Amino acid sequence: QVQLVESGGGSVQAGGSLRLSCVVSSVGGLRNCLGWFRQAPGKEREGVAAICARATFYADSVKGRFSISRGDAAKTTLYLQMNSLKPEDTAAYYCAAPMRSLAISETLTPGAYTYWGQGTQVTVSS
């Protein structure tokens, strides 16, 4: 079983920054990727960023503004640094882990991930 717990959401003005954290348990049972996803009201969940070993992947909408990383030697914490935030970044943000190894084409696909955190809300005002 894998548990993921997000924190760090909040309300900021456009142009501001936030750093999301996700504590991941049972890292030994995970495969090669961890990801951040978001879901705005009335919209489908979408991939934001993923990290697979040392490779990182980003949605076009966040490239150059968001950065995903894994912290500490045990790599049990996942981070998402979000800079230059825009009102359209407003959403509930989730970290997730797959049950199996993923192909590159799957890294930002919500359906490829099995384990999910409870989410943390990010609200960006104009």
Side-chain angles (χ1 to χ4, degrees), residues 56-117:
T56 56
F57 305 90
Y58 296 94
D60 288 343
S61 59
V62 306
K63 281 181 181 177
R65 301 188 298 121
F66 290 13
S67 178
I68 188 172
S69 61
R70 298 176 74 163
D72 68 56
K75 295 182 172 55
T76 57
T77 306
L78 181 69
Y79 298 104
L80 184 67
Q81 178 66 44
M82 305 186 294
N83 299 325
S84 302
L85 282 161
K86 304 176 180 180
E88 51 263 44
D89 294 319
T90 295
Y93 283 72
Y94 302 86
C95 61
M99 183 182 289
R100 56 175 175 81
S101 296
L102 300 183
I104 292 176
S105 60
E106 298 178 297
T107 55
L108 295 178
T109 302
Y113 289 74
T114 303
Y115 304 103
W116 294 84

Side-chain angles (χ1 to χ4, degrees), residues 22-39:
C22 174
V23 177
V24 185
S25 66
S26 301
V27 175
L30 295 175
R31 296 300 181 254
N32 59 336
C33 296
L34 290 172
W36 284 101
F37 296 80
R38 67 186 180 187
Q39 188 166 18

